[in-house]
Amino acid sequence: MASSSSYNCPCAACKFLRRKCMPGCIFAPYFPPEEPQKFANVHKIFGASNVSKLLHELLPHQREDAVNSLAYEAEARVKDPVYGCVGAISFLQRQVERLQKELDAANADLIRYACNDIPSGIACTAGSKFGSSHGSSAEAG
Amino acid sequence: MQPFSSSELFLLSLSLLIACRLLLPKMTVKGGTSQACAACKYQRRRCSSECALARYFPANQPKMFQNAHRLFGVCNIMKILRLLESDEQKDEAMKSIIYESDMRERFPVHGCWGIIWQLRQQLLLAIEELQYVKAKLTICREQWCSTHFSELQLGHVSPTNNDALPIFQHHSTDNAVPLSLKDHFVLNENDGAFIESNDDMVKPLWVQHPYYDNMINNNSMGIQSSQAFETLMCQDYDDIPFNTIADDRQSYIESKDVCESSSESSLKDTTQSIEYAWKNELRSAAACFSLTN
């Protein structure tokens, strides 16, 4: 956490809002002056007062994560005003679903092998031939 | 005292009617008897027929607007809507705003970012498991092939007939390179461009918005090692339907199922070389998404 609420180094929030950065500024630990864009995005999308209220409702050890998640969502919304970060959620959900289906199919094949069962797709074409040939070879052996 | 004449009575009633309309807030929408939208109700103002938020915040769902108002604020919502041109874009934007607000209300610390993080973890787990299962399948196929090679040589099954060995053809379209996140999220460091893989199934709907992973790489969050977040991940993000966004995106989060599916340790064997190579690639892919300060 960067603490910048010194008298000669206002935080990015107070710099942006053009106000004096007082000791105990709620934004100071999370919006260092080296990252002005971070607060600019958050203020543009959510507003400083809303963020301040949110932070005051959280415990101190939760605020950093909350600010960073808000910064992420704000930047996503700036670059994509329609979907924001929700677009990523939808995309990832589809990816997870797709992979899970693929995994289920692969596991099903593996179980068939583990059970010494004829793998799927073989039975309808060569399974019968194998059955007859296997039976005949077994009888011969 | 003379009683009022009909014309005087008419004028009196008319003036009373005008006074009522001026003094009382207009709580009805033109063309119907529906009440004011949740936004106007909350703000205690007149809900006109041109109210931009009325269609998104029905009166019977006040909580929805409260969440959106709490996170974004009405002014910021209106600013976002003004940036958009078509009604479809505005509808989609409002759906995502409402979803984001609801998630922030439900998870005040991490909001939607927590869901994204959990989904990525699920993705990594699924990829790792799929790679392992595919390696096992390759070995099983080879063993099966060598076991039944004699039948092939006898000519009962033509080796050139692909239908006779569909198990190989079935997976022949799989990528030879193990599936990894790096295949899908290759970044161009200059502009954060998103390069999708050759897999046709991976068609990101938001390929025109390639900044997600760039943000994740550059964002500094300390939630990876947070025990509280791990608990949250496994418990609180279950069954978060995403059906508020679009009808075709019927996705859902299955956190517990993925977590529990990795317990097939009985199938592990000595394919160390394959696992080592793929795990290295997976680690490098995961490094793309590591959240470091």
Side-chain angles (χ1 to χ4, degrees), chain B residues 117-130:
Chain B
W117 190 84
Q118 191 199 20
L119 282 170
R120 287 178 178 270
Q121 293 300 106
Q122 288 181 14
L123 208 56
L124 288 174
L125 280 173
I127 288 170
E128 189 170 1
E129 193 169 350
L130 188 62

Side-chain angles (χ1 to χ4, degrees), chain A residues 45-46 50 57 65-66 68-69 73 75-77 80 82-83 86 90-91 93 98-99 102 109 113 121 125, chain B residues 70 72 76 93 96 100 104 109 112 134 141 163 166 171 179 199 202 204 206 211 220 223 242 249 251:
Chain A
I45 299 299
F46 302 118
N50 288 340
E57 289 171 2
D65 284 348
N68 288 330
S69 67
E73 290 178 28
E75 189 171 354
R77 184 63 67 174
D80 181 4
V82 179
Y83 295 108
V86 177
S90 182
F91 174 68
Q93 283 176 340
R98 183 180 75 87
L99 277 175
E102 205 172 329
D109 281 342
Y113 277 114
T125 53
Chain B
R70 194 157 167 260
F72 288 90
N76 292 328
S96 66
E100 208 170 316
R104 182 60 64 172
V109 180
C112 282
K134 283 188 174 179
R141 281 182 208 133
D163 292 337
H171 293 283
L179 182 64
D199 188 353
V202 181
W206 290 273
Y211 55 86
S220 57
I223 60 175
F242 193 64
R249 288 192 284 271
S251 302

Side-chain angles (χ1 to χ4, degrees), chain B residues 36-254:
Chain B
C37 69
C40 294
K41 255 190 182 177
Y42 184 86
Q43 299 172 85
R44 297 182 184 180
R45 64 178 190 185
R46 294 174 60 172
C47 186
S48 67
S49 56
E50 289 85 25
C51 178
L53 300 177
R55 57 188 293 181
Y56 307 117
F57 299 110
N60 57 351
Q61 295 183 39
K63 186 71 175 160
M64 195 192 299
F65 174 76
Q66 287 173 20
N67 294 341
H69 178 60
R70 194 157 167 260
L71 180 61
F72 288 90
V74 173
C75 291
N76 292 328
I77 293 176
M78 297 306 296
K79 276 187 213 170
I80 292 171
L81 290 178
R82 273 196 285 271
L83 289 172
L84 306 173
E85 296 174 352
S86 67
D87 286 341
E88 290 77 19
Q89 282 185 324
K90 290 179 183 177
D91 291 346
E92 292 294 305
M94 283 310 302
K95 286 178 187 174
S96 66
I97 285 170
I98 288 167
Y99 181 84
E100 208 170 316
S101 309
D102 287 346
M103 289 302 109
R104 182 60 64 172
E105 193 268 338
R106 190 170 171 182
F107 309 109
V109 180
H110 300 109
C112 282
W113 165 246
I115 299 173
I116 290 173
W117 190 84
Q118 191 199 20
L119 282 170
R120 287 178 178 270
Q121 293 300 106
Q122 288 181 14
L123 208 56
L124 288 174
L125 280 173
I127 288 170
E128 189 170 1
E129 193 169 350
L130 188 62
Q131 287 171 348
Y132 175 76
V133 171
K134 283 188 174 179
K136 284 290 298 178
L137 271 175
T138 303
I139 294 165
C140 289
R141 281 182 208 133
E142 287 169 0
Q143 288 175 350
W144 185 88
C145 185
S146 63
T147 303
H148 295 87
F149 188 64
S150 57
E151 280 82 1
L152 286 172
Q153 283 185 323
L154 287 173
H156 289 282
V157 177
S158 167
T160 60
N161 182 7
N162 287 331
D163 292 337
L165 293 172
I167 189 62
F168 295 98
Q169 197 176 26
H170 171 66
H171 293 283
S172 63
T173 56
D174 289 346
N175 292 332
V177 178
L179 182 64
S180 70
L181 282 178
K182 204 163 80 167
D183 292 338
H184 301 287
F185 295 94
V186 177
L187 295 177
N188 181 333
E189 291 182 0
N190 293 328
D191 57 3
F194 182 100
I195 304 172
E196 60 180 346
S197 74
N198 293 325
D199 188 353
D200 286 338
M201 291 184 68
V202 181
K203 285 208 178 286
L205 189 61
W206 290 273
V207 68
Q208 66 273 28
H209 311 290
Y211 55 86
Y212 298 117
D213 301 291
N214 199 18
M215 277 197 292
I216 289 168
N217 289 338
N218 295 332
N219 203 344
S220 57
M221 292 186 67
I223 60 175
Q224 268 184 324
S225 57
S226 167
Q227 186 178 359
F229 182 81
E230 286 174 1
T231 306
L232 187 68
M233 180 182 79
C234 287
Q235 294 178 0
D236 294 349
Y237 285 125
D238 290 345
D239 300 327
I240 299 175
F242 193 64
N243 53 8
T244 59
I245 297 301
D247 293 336
D248 59 340
R249 288 192 284 271
Q250 295 297 325
S251 302
Y252 57 91
I253 297 173
E254 296 176 345

Side-chain angles (χ1 to χ4, degrees), chain A residues 5-79:
Chain A
S5 58
S6 57
Y7 68 96
N8 57 351
C9 190
C11 68
C14 294
K15 256 189 182 177
F16 188 94
L17 298 171
R18 296 182 186 178
R19 67 184 190 190
K20 190 176 177 183
C21 191
M22 303 295 291
C25 171
I26 188 87
F27 298 120
Y30 318 110
F31 294 103
E34 300 84 22
E35 297 176 22
Q37 195 59 39
K38 185 178 176 184
F39 180 79
N41 291 338
V42 168
H43 179 59
K44 182 177 179 182
I45 299 299
F46 302 118
S49 60
N50 288 340
V51 174
S52 174
K53 285 181 205 168
L54 281 169
L55 292 180
H56 276 108
E57 289 171 2
L58 297 174
L59 298 172
H61 70 276
Q62 296 174 321
R63 288 174 185 166
E64 185 176 8
D65 284 348
V67 165
N68 288 330
S69 67
L70 286 169
Y72 173 79
E73 290 178 28
E75 189 171 354
R77 184 63 67 174
V78 164
K79 297 202 176 182

